[in-house]
Amino acid sequence: MKATPLKRNVSQLYLLFVPLLVILLGFGLGKTNYTFYVPIWLVNVFLMVLAAWILGLHTINTKNSNRHLVLGAFSLIVPIILVSMFFGLGPPPDTSQSWVDTAIEQQVRYSMLVMAGIGIVIGFALLREFLKNESENFYSLLGLTAIIIAIPIFILDMLFWGFYLPELFKIVVASHAEKLPDWFQPTRVLFGLLSVVEVALTYLAIAAFSVSLRKVGLLRISSTRIYLVISLFAFLIIVLSPFFPEVLTEAGFVVSIPAIPFLMPYYMGVILLRKVGNAAN
């Protein structure tokens, strides 16, 4: 049974505005009890999957469905479905004691981000298969290569934040140390540079896939230009930030927050689901 235009429009609007609501609630509410945010998150998961189904995911069951495109688009949406939980977790802690007190929450946060990263690479891999079948090989291959290199680094970085740091802060608090040990500084520098590489490659992948999707007619030229401008601007900021820390440290931090680069594939997935849904109707 085909969804009405009203249902499809409402579904698209919901998917478009969920990330904004998560950001606003995250900053507005701060950290809340899991008995409050987990039920709300589960309801949101159901609503987002339902909205994706109405918008275009339902075409997976049709005879002429291109499953690579449909599943690839949905896989790009999955990361935001997962991290929408963060509205109740609040921002990461800023003191050693708060890291210790919220160790479980941080493990949940960064485990979700690990799964989100896996969703991104699966989504782009599936899109690559579709684009290859549509005879767009160069940009899709470039994008897939970049993301396949980036995501393992991203996973390592998230495990560092979610599991290594809480254990380190437990040692710091137990020893009543007033600051982090000197030997930690080289580790911090190393993971900072790994983050630069990972984020830069992610933006490069997003730019490449936007061009690839444009070449097969799945993105408008205006949308492609927006993706290119944002991706290449963020790419330059993150690459140059280690060399000009006095100017670009804060900007580099903003563009490297996982939710920022993940939002771009997310909206790409929403657009693609709308496209396949329109074609089916």
Side-chain angles (χ1 to χ4, degrees):
M1 181 177 178
K2 293 182 179 180
T4 64
L6 177 60
K7 287 182 179 179
R8 300 187 71 239
N9 290 336
V10 170
S11 297
Q12 183 174 2
L13 285 174
Y14 186 76
L15 291 174
L16 291 176
F17 283 106
V18 162
L20 178 61
L21 291 174
V22 170
I23 293 172
L24 292 176
L25 290 174
F27 283 103
L29 294 177
K31 184 180 180 301
T32 59
N33 191 281
Y34 73 92
T35 58
F36 169 75
Y37 68 78
V38 169
I40 295 177
W41 173 67
L42 291 175
V43 171
N44 179 64
V45 169
F46 171 78
L47 291 176
M48 292 185 75
V49 173
L50 178 62
W53 181 265
I54 293 172
L55 196 61
L57 186 59
H58 66 277
T59 63
I60 196 71
N61 291 328
T62 61
K63 184 177 180 180
N64 297 322
S65 171
N66 192 312
R67 287 179 170 81
H68 287 134
L69 176 59
V70 176
L71 290 177
F74 180 67
S75 295
L76 296 180
I77 291 175
V78 167
I80 300 301
I81 293 178
L82 294 174
V83 304
S84 62
M85 173 189 279
F86 292 1
F87 83 91
L89 290 175
D94 54 5
T95 66
S96 299
Q97 186 62 56
S98 58
W99 270 98
V100 174
D101 295 340
T102 62
I104 294 177
E105 286 92 337
Q106 304 318 315
Q107 290 170 0
V108 171
R109 181 198 305 272
Y110 291 103
S111 295
M112 285 291 187
L113 286 169
V114 167
M115 290 186 286
I118 294 171
I120 290 290
V121 75
I122 291 174
F124 278 138
L126 290 168
L127 285 186
R128 157 64 182 168
E129 287 301 304
F130 167 80
L131 292 164
K132 183 173 65 174
N133 292 334
E134 295 293 312
S135 300
E136 201 306 290
N137 292 309
F138 178 75
Y139 291 103
S140 60
L141 179 59
L142 176 64
L144 182 62
T145 302
I147 204 68
I148 284 177
I149 298 172
I151 293 303
I153 302 174
F154 172 77
I155 291 174
L156 179 63
D157 193 25
M158 294 303 98
L159 293 177
F160 168 79
W161 281 86
F163 294 88
Y164 178 86
L165 284 184
E167 293 302 319
L168 173 64
F169 286 121
K170 287 178 183 179
I171 296 172
V172 171
V173 170
S175 62
H176 303 288
E178 296 183 357
K179 63 177 183 177
L180 293 173
D182 293 338
W183 52 259
F184 176 68
Q185 183 59 26
T187 306
R188 173 184 287 175
V189 172
L190 172 62
F191 276 89
L193 293 175
L194 286 174
S195 179
V196 168
V197 173
E198 167 261 313
V199 174
L201 287 171
T202 300
Y203 282 115
L204 179 62
I206 294 168
F209 271 101
S210 68
V211 174
S212 181
L213 290 167
R214 170 58 192 163
K215 284 187 170 294
V216 300
L218 286 175
L219 276 186
R220 296 178 181 177
I221 189 169
S222 56
S223 299
T224 303
R225 287 173 177 170
I226 292 172
Y227 271 104
L228 284 175
V229 168
I230 295 175
S231 297
L232 296 179
F233 181 68
F235 175 85
L236 288 174
I237 288 177
I238 195 65
V239 168
L240 294 176
S241 59
F243 302 100
F244 304 97
E246 66 282 356
V247 178
L248 296 175
T249 297
E250 291 186 7
F253 171 75
V254 171
V255 300
S256 66
I257 296 172
I260 303 301
F262 283 2
L263 275 176
M264 298 175 70
Y266 170 80
Y267 285 119
M268 190 180 289
V270 173
I271 291 171
L272 293 177
L273 282 184
R274 180 78 194 207
K275 289 276 187 180
V276 297
N278 288 344
N281 290 339

